Amino acid sequence: MGTSRARRARPEDVRALGELSDRVFRPTLPPGAGMPVEFPRLFHADNAGNLYLVEDSAGNPVSMVGTYPSELVSNGIRLTAVSIGSVATLPDHRGRGYATEMLEMIIEDHSPHHSIMLVSGGRGLYARLGCVEFGTLLRAWWEPADWSDTRVTCRESAYPRGDASMLHRLYQTEAYRVLRTPIEMESYVNATTAPRFRARPAPGRVLIAEREDTAVAYAVAAPGREGAAINFLEWAGDRAGLLSLAQYALRQMQGDRVEWRFQPGDRTLGGLLAAHRIPHEPCPNQGTIALLNPERLLNEVNPWIEEQTGQRLTWQQGYQVAWSGSPPAEVPSLPTEPSRAALTRWFFSADGVNVPLVDTGGLSYI
Ligand SMILES: CC(C)(COP(=O)(O)OP(=O)(O)OC[C@H]1O[C@@H](n2cnc3c(N)ncnc32)[C@H](O)[C@@H]1OP(=O)(O)O)[C@@H](O)C(=O)NCCC(=O)NCCS
C-alpha cells in the first residue's frame, strides 16, 4: 500500500473531522451541526489524538475513524475497551483502503492498552479485521396498556443537562455500565437534544420517574425511525419505575409501542415482565467486537471465569489460550483455529464463555 497516509488528529483538525462526519452521516444538516453535537466527547479537542484521518493532496480530511477509550463494568468484571465510531470516507475517495488502513493502525496503537475493541457497525470491512457479532441480550416491547404505578410520577426533563448529576447517580447503580465521569454524563445527556440524535427524526427525550420527589428511574427515549416504535436507548434505576416510564413514553410521544433491551441476568425486571405479560425475546448486542489483547483480557475476566467454572485460563501465544486444568464440561471447547475472530467469538458469544457486556445499542459508550 506504499507509505502510510493515515495519521492521528491534532486539536486543530477536530472541527473539520466533525464536518466530514456530518457530510457522510447527517447530510441533511449543516456540516458541524450533527455528529459533533451528538458525540461531544468523541469530537472534543481533548480526544483529538484518538481521531484518525487521511487527507487529500490539498490537506483536507477525506476519511476518518473515531476512537474513544472506555472502561466497561459488567456485573463486577471491568474491561478496558476502545470504542470505534464515525467510520467515514467521502464518496469520491472510497474503495482506496483508507478506512482499512486507519483501523489497522488503531488495532496496533490500542492493543497494548485495551483488551477489546467495540465497533458500532458490522460491515465486511470490520469482519476482515476479525470483528464478530456478540452477546445475548433480551429485547422487550410493550403496547399502550391500562397500567400505572400510582406511587410513581413521570415527567420529561426540560433541561437534561441540569438533571445530569441526578441521572448520573442512578446510572452508577447499574451493574452493567460504562464508567462515566460527571462531565461524560453531562455531555451524554446534553447530546440527547441534538436534532437527529442517533439518526432519529427528532431529538431524544429524557424521561424521569419520581417517587416522593426523588428520581428513581430514567430513560432516554428516541422516536422510532419508521414512526412506530419508541426506543429506550439507555435507562437506569428502579425496574417498576421503568415500566411507568414505558407507558408515559407511549402517551407523551404517541407511539404504538415502546422497546428496550436488558440483561438476561436482570431477575427483577424479568419477574416484572412475566407478571405483566410483557413480551421479550433474545437479541444480539449491537455492532461487533474484536479482541485486541488476549493477555490483558485474561487478567480482566479470569476472576469471573474462575467463579463460573472453578478454572482459570492461561495465555499461550497469539490468539491461543488454555485451561489451567481439565476443560470444564459446561463450557464449549476452545477454538482450534488460532485467529482473532475465533477467539473473540469464543469469549463473547454463546459459542464460548459469553462474557456479558453492557448494551451497546444506543451508542452511549462513545
Ligand atoms: C464504510 C466506509 C467508511 C469505507 O471506507 P473506505 O475508505 O472506502 O474503505 P476501504 O477502502 O478500506 O474499503 C472497505 C470497504 O469499501 C468497499 N469499497 C471498495 N471499493 C469501493 C468503492 N469504489 N466505492 C464504495 N465502496 C467501495 C469495500 O467493499 C469495503 O466495504 P465492506 O465493508 O462492505 O466490505 C465508506 O464506504 C463510508 O463512509 N460509508 C458510509 C458510512 C458508513 O457506512 N460507515 C460505517 C458505519 S458502521
Side-chain angles (χ1 to χ4, degrees):
M1 203 173 276
T3 50
S4 174
R5 301 151 298 194
R7 67 168 172 90
R8 296 173 86 140
R10 294 182 283 269
E12 59 271 26
D13 299 315
V14 173
R15 187 192 170 100
L17 293 178
E19 292 173 1
L20 160 64
S21 183
D22 274 347
R23 285 196 179 91
V24 173
F25 291 108
R26 301 287 181 267
T28 59
L29 294 178
M35 297 289 281
V37 186
E38 285 179 49
F39 298 97
R41 305 305 302 169
L42 185 72
F43 290 101
H44 194 284
D46 291 351
N47 196 47
N50 290 320
L51 305 178
Y52 290 72
L53 72 145
V54 173
E55 291 158 315
D56 64 10
S57 50
N60 301 308
V62 294
S63 185
M64 75 160 293
V65 178
T67 76
Y68 196 77
S70 49
E71 276 201 57
L72 315 179
V73 177
S74 289
N75 207 11
I77 308 171
R78 274 180 66 158
L79 288 166
T80 47
V82 62
S83 304
I84 308 287
S86 187
V87 183
T89 302
L90 292 177
D92 290 351
H93 300 264
R94 289 183 187 160
R96 298 183 194 170
Y98 292 166
T100 305
E101 185 184 334
M102 284 183 282
L103 286 165
E104 283 170 348
M105 201 168 156
I106 286 163
I107 290 173
E108 193 173 314
D109 289 351
H110 290 268
S111 290
H113 313 294
H114 302 99
S115 59
I116 52 170
M117 172 167 100
L118 289 174
V119 184
S120 53
R123 311 177 59 104
L125 169 66
Y126 310 130
R128 282 190 293 281
L129 295 167
C131 298
V132 299
E133 291 186 349
F134 68 107
T136 321
L137 296 175
L138 292 169
R139 184 177 68 90
W141 63 96
W142 206 11
E143 281 151 18
D146 188 15
W147 181 88
S148 72
D149 179 344
T150 48
R151 294 161 305 168
V152 166
T153 359
C154 296
R155 66 174 175 93
E156 179 173 349
S157 174
Y159 179 54
R161 180 176 233 160
D163 287 320
S165 61
M166 180 254 288
L167 302 175
H168 197 204
R169 280 195 293 279
L170 289 170
Y171 185 69
Q172 282 169 50
T173 65
E174 290 297 325
Y176 296 83
R177 65 186 191 279
V178 182
L179 285 191
R180 273 191 197 149
T181 63
I183 284 178
E184 286 171 323
M185 187 74 192
E186 189 184 311
S187 299
Y188 172 68
V189 297
N190 191 46
T192 61
T193 61
R196 300 273 330 273
F197 184 62
R198 303 308 181 253
R200 303 306 163 100
R205 294 162 73 161
V206 177
L207 311 179
I208 299 172
E210 290 171 333
R211 196 178 291 150
E212 288 157 14
D213 291 333
T214 303
V216 293
Y218 75 87
V220 174
R225 285 202 180 84
E226 277 90 42
I230 299 160
N231 286 97
F232 282 176
L233 297 177
E234 174 173 306
W235 59 269
D238 181 88
R239 273 50 183 160
L242 173 71
L243 296 195
S244 299
L245 289 172
Q247 287 302 326
Y248 179 75
L250 287 167
R251 288 193 301 274
Q252 295 300 309
M253 298 167 78
Q254 281 99 41
D256 297 337
R257 69 189 215 163
V258 58
E259 291 187 7
W260 67 91
R261 310 204 299 177
F262 64 104
Q263 296 286 341
D266 191 334
R267 303 261 178 262
T268 310
L269 183 56
L272 283 171
L273 298 187
H276 296 291
R277 298 178 193 280
I278 299 171
H280 49 284
E281 63 182 18
C283 65
N285 215 330
Q286 197 265 332
T288 52
I289 189 171
L291 226 176
L292 289 185
N293 186 328
E295 204 180 0
R296 191 172 181 128
L297 180 75
L298 288 189
N299 285 336
E300 294 168 356
V301 300
N302 253 332
W304 177 81
I305 287 179
E306 197 169 10
E307 185 188 38
Q308 308 288 309
T309 67
Q311 299 265 354
R312 291 177 82 80
L313 288 162
T314 55
W315 179 63
Q316 306 289 95
Q317 57 173 330
Y319 292 100
Q320 277 178 297
V321 299
W323 289 105
S324 55
S326 49
E330 65 276 21
V331 180
S333 32
L334 283 159
T336 45
E337 181 200 320
S339 71
R340 186 197 301 274
L343 194 59
T344 305
R345 195 172 291 115
W346 188 83
F347 271 109
F348 295 102
S349 78
D351 293 348
V353 281
N354 210 359
V355 175
L357 284 178
V358 60
D359 178 3
T360 53
L363 295 184
S364 55
Y365 56 96
I366 202 163

